[in-house]
Each structure stands twice: as structure tokens, then as C-alpha cells.
Amino acid sequence: MKVTQEKLEAFVSDRFRYAQGDLDCNRSGINDPENSKYREAIDRGMEPYLDVSGKRPNGYDGEQTRDYGGGSRQLTKQSGGKTYKQLFQKEYLGSSKFDDYDDFLNAVKNGFDPRLKDLAGSVGSEGGFLLAEKFEERIVDVVIEDSIVMPRAKLYGLKAGKGRTLRIPCFVDEDHSTKGISGIDAVWTPESAQKTKTDPIFRSLEMKTNKLVCYSVSSDELIQESGISLNDIIGNAFKKSILFKTDYVFLQGTGSGMPLGVINSPALLVQPAEAEQIGTTIIYENILGMFSKLAPASHKNAIWVASISALPQMMQLNVEVGLAGDRIKILQENSGKFTLLGKECIFTEKLPALGSQGCLILADFSAYAVLLKEGIRLESSIHEGFRSDLTSFRMILHVDGQTTINKPTILLDGSTTVSQFVALGAVA
């Protein structure tokens, strides 16, 4: 059955109306086996239409199931709708000549597959190839969704061929007592009176992508004899490595040859340890002090992130209630998910150990910007491991991250200083 442009547009219209709840699925013929070719043609590009309506099929408005080739997974609203397609303004992804990601990895490993001709990202004989769009989409979307920082951050995409730098205008919001909100002072003005001039204060946030390289070596015999796919061995390992490294630098990066992490940002506000506090401990007063330093506008979005080494200490935190000596735990757990003072708390190995500054942070990551550059490159080589029958793989991507604010904010009373990022100081 030939897929004509007219029929394709009609099918898109039906799918869009169905997503809005205006068309019954069975009556529309969407599930008709004869429409399988239309469904295949539309599925890759249907998401923008669903996002416009703000609804999901069957009235489901909470989570969307997406197939990444290795089983379906849930995309939550937490990611703010930022997907690979939206970052790089792609409504439809080009078709791929490869059956699946494993087929692509094997082609790169062999190095001379003619299907790689249009994906050459460097010298083809050296094994450097750009990932096909649909494979890059899978990696980017998985990393975004599973990360601590990226689903909650402001995400920006830099299209291929547009260099490495993106300048983002930001307000300078440092002192509400003298400069108004974001440098704009709203003034009550009588009828016919001269308007008071206020000048908003801007700064240019320059983001410049840094190169992240993932490297791995595999034995040809292991792959051939075990029957395990290259995707299971190499592809998933690269995804996990990218996820870990990007999350780590968004939290702890120095800004030198890598993104600038939250705990090294000039926007960070530090809650010092209490007088005579025992070393390598966290006490209730630390929690209250940190919460009091959080910017009021961030109460809705902020989450706690804690070093996994702090878990035993935090599990023992409690407060006495009433006269009977009853105590209530401060850290609550439900089905493996933690909350602290009613806000989500994530434990990770990506923060410093208990007792170090930054072992516990309270952060509103909507004030953190992440820049991803289009064009992940995959390279392979047999040369260095030729005598041992080993193949080397490396994956290269470009990314940057930094806070959109450059210092804490003085509130209207002139004496209270807050920030979107608060950390517990060292407790030695």
C-alpha cells in the first residue's frame, strides 16, 4: 500500500484529534491493520502534536510510555517536556538504514559498512561516525530522564554546525532591598504624574560546551561466543557512564574543562556547622538552617540531594513532639522514596562524603542551565588491541552546565540572604 502525502496528512489529523479526546480510536480506523504503514510513518513525529494538546492518549495526562528498543520506560512531567526532538527543534527524525542500535554498533566495529557513508563524523577509516538521529535520541532522552539534575534544569540544545558557544541573557537579581526584583522596581504612580524610570540589569551567561569521552574495550571472542549483543555490553555501558559523569559535574564540576557544578558555584550559600557539633554528623539544626536560607520562590521546586554516606545519620534524625516524649522521624521513607521536611530527598554517591562541605544540598535546579550539542560521535579501533584480539570503542559528546544566578540574593528586609542553592558546610 503506497503512503501518499494526502493520506499521511489525514492520518496525522486523526491521531491529533484522538489525542485530544475528540475521536474514538476504533471508529477512526487508527487500529486498522491496513494503517500500519501510516502508524510507522507517524510514530516518530507524533510527540509534538501530543504536546500541543497537553493530553495523552486515553486521557492519560501523567506519564507517557516510550519504547527505547530495550523495553518501554516512563517519561514523567518532571522532565518538563524537554526531549531530544524539542532541544534540537526536530519534528520528524530521519529514517535509519540500520535495523537497531546493535546493528549500528556492529557496523561501526567493522568500520567499512557502506551504510556508514553518510554518518562520517571524522575519517571513516579511523572509525569515527556520528550516531544516527534515532539512536542519539535514545541516549539523550534516557540520560535526561534518569539524571538528578537535567530533568529539573533549564535545557538548551545547540544544533550541529553552530559552534560551541551559546549566550543566554539573565537578570542580575542580587538585592531586593535596593534594586527591586531582577533590577526592575515597580513604583506606585499618581494619575498624570511622571513615571519613574527603572533599568533592568542584565548579564550574559556564556555557555561553552566541553568534550566528554567514554572509552571501553571489548574482547571479540567474548562477544562472539557469549551471544551477548554489543548494545548490551557497550551501548548500555556508555549510557550509564554519560549519565554518571554529567550528573557528577553538574553537582561537583570545577568549571575548568568541564561544567561548573552547584557546590562550586558563586551562587552557593553555605550553612555552617553548629557550635560544638560533633564531627561527621548531621543534626536537625543543620536542616532548619539550610531551609531558612532557601529563596522563597524556590520552595516549590527545590529538592534535597545527599551523599549516600549521610543516610545512616539522617535516618536517625527525629524531633520530640508533645509531653510524652514521642519522637517523629524527620526523614520519611515510602517505597524507597525519601522526603525531608516534606520535600523529595535523593541519596547519591555523586556528592562529597559525610562531614565534607556539600555532603547535603538543598537545590532548585530550575536555576541551573545545561547545554547539549547535537551530534554524538562513536568511534572504534582494532589497532591498539590487535595482538590481543580486542576492539576499542569511544563515544564523544559535548555538554556544559552552570547556574543562571551568580550570587545569593539579599531580600527586601535588607538583612536576610537567600539562594536557590544551599549546602551544609564542613563538619570536621
Side-chain angles (χ1 to χ4, degrees):
M1 180 175 62
K2 186 177 180 181
V3 180
T4 65
Q5 182 66 27
E6 182 179 357
K7 291 183 178 180
L8 191 60
E9 290 177 354
F11 185 70
V12 170
S13 176
D14 281 352
R15 285 289 296 269
F16 183 39
R17 291 168 58 200
Y18 167 55
Q20 292 179 307
D22 297 333
L23 185 66
D24 179 80
C25 181
N26 293 322
R27 286 194 297 105
S28 71
I30 289 175
N31 286 336
D32 191 325
E34 292 185 0
N35 279 324
S36 61
K37 289 188 177 181
Y38 301 139
R39 289 201 303 274
E40 183 179 357
I42 292 302
D43 279 343
R44 293 193 186 95
M46 196 60 216
E47 184 170 309
Y49 296 97
L50 296 179
D51 287 340
V52 169
S53 72
K55 295 184 178 181
R56 302 296 186 217
N58 302 324
Y60 191 70
D61 198 25
E63 296 181 343
Q64 174 188 0
T65 301
R66 172 178 292 165
D67 185 3
Y68 284 89
S72 62
R73 54 184 290 109
Q74 297 294 329
L75 288 181
T76 67
K77 282 187 174 181
Q78 179 181 330
S79 61
K82 285 289 186 180
T83 63
Y84 175 87
K85 291 177 183 177
Q86 292 169 325
L87 280 174
F88 302 114
Q89 295 87 50
K90 293 180 179 292
E91 188 167 322
Y92 294 94
L93 297 182
S95 60
S96 173
K97 301 176 183 178
F98 301 93
D99 296 334
D100 50 35
Y101 191 37
D102 192 58
D103 185 28
F104 174 73
L105 287 172
N106 276 294
V108 172
K109 179 180 181 299
N110 295 330
F112 298 100
D113 193 308
R115 294 176 297 174
L116 295 169
K117 179 181 177 182
D118 297 331
L119 299 173
S122 57
V123 181
S125 61
E126 296 177 357
F129 302 96
L130 294 175
L131 263 68
E133 284 184 333
K134 73 174 185 178
F135 302 137
E136 183 174 3
E137 179 196 26
R138 291 177 186 175
I139 292 176
V140 170
D141 284 350
V142 168
V143 170
I144 289 175
E145 187 67 16
D146 288 346
S147 169
I148 295 173
V149 178
M150 278 200 276
R152 303 169 173 88
K154 285 186 172 68
L155 297 184
Y156 298 91
L158 188 60
K159 293 183 72 67
K162 297 297 183 180
R164 296 176 53 201
T165 304
L166 180 68
R167 294 180 180 273
I168 303 171
C170 297
F171 285 108
V172 177
D173 193 18
E174 300 175 356
D175 192 341
H176 293 177
S177 65
T178 60
K179 299 178 181 178
I181 308 299
S182 300
I184 301 177
D185 193 12
V187 180
W188 296 106
T189 306
E191 186 75 22
S192 302
Q194 184 175 2
K195 309 300 186 293
T196 302
K197 179 183 178 182
T198 61
D199 296 317
I201 304 173
F202 292 94
R203 69 183 181 94
S204 178
L205 176 64
E206 180 177 284
M207 304 193 73
K208 188 174 183 179
T209 58
N210 305 277
K211 183 165 69 174
L212 177 63
V213 181
C214 302
Y215 180 84
S216 180
V217 177
S218 66
S219 163
D220 293 342
E221 291 180 353
L222 173 64
I223 296 172
Q224 294 169 2
E225 295 177 4
S226 67
I228 300 175
S229 71
L230 267 178
N231 181 37
D232 290 339
I233 297 175
I234 303 298
N236 290 334
F238 280 157
K239 292 175 190 176
K240 292 178 181 178
S241 180
I242 291 171
L243 171 62
F244 187 94
K245 286 294 185 180
T246 52
D247 237 5
Y248 176 85
V249 294
F250 296 153
L251 294 171
Q252 290 202 64
T254 64
S256 178
M258 65 179 71
L260 178 63
V262 166
I263 66 174
N264 291 314
S265 166
L268 185 72
L269 199 55
V270 177
Q271 170 65 28
E274 298 296 309
E276 301 181 0
Q277 182 176 343
I278 300 173
T280 60
T281 60
I282 295 178
I283 60 177
Y284 185 50
E285 287 75 13
N286 299 150
I287 306 296
L288 293 181
M290 292 178 66
F291 204 90
S292 68
K293 287 181 168 58
L294 179 67
S298 293
H299 285 179
K300 178 181 178 180
N301 295 325
I303 66 167
W304 298 92
V305 185
S307 168
I308 189 63
S309 60
L311 180 58
Q313 279 282 318
M314 296 178 66
M315 288 291 288
Q316 299 179 56
L317 290 175
N318 58 74
V319 60
E320 188 171 342
V321 179
L323 302 176
D326 295 331
R327 293 183 173 274
I328 297 178
K329 286 187 176 182
I330 304 304
L331 183 69
Q332 299 290 324
E333 184 271 338
N334 183 16
S335 300
K337 296 183 178 180
F338 294 90
T339 57
L340 182 64
L341 297 185
K343 304 199 70 62
E344 181 181 8
C345 183
I346 298 175
F347 289 92
T348 178
E349 60 179 303
K350 302 164 189 171
L351 284 180
L354 177 64
S356 305
Q357 179 169 309
C359 67
L360 176 65
I361 64 173
L362 180 58
D364 175 5
F365 291 113
S366 67
Y368 192 87
V370 173
L371 176 64
L372 293 171
K373 183 173 175 61
E374 181 185 17
I376 297 177
R377 195 164 81 242
L378 182 64
E379 300 176 348
S380 70
S381 173
I382 62 171
H383 302 299
E384 62 178 303
F386 181 76
R387 297 179 62 184
S388 304
D389 201 18
L390 298 174
T391 300
S392 301
F393 289 88
R394 68 180 181 184
M395 185 175 285
I396 302 173
L397 71 157
H398 294 81
V399 62
D400 190 31
Q402 52 186 296
T403 59
T404 58
I405 58 172
N406 60 349
K407 62 188 304 184
T409 302
I410 300 173
L411 294 185
L412 187 61
D413 60 18
S415 60
T416 304
T417 301
V418 298
S419 177
Q420 285 87 344
F421 304 100
V422 184
L424 178 60
V427 186

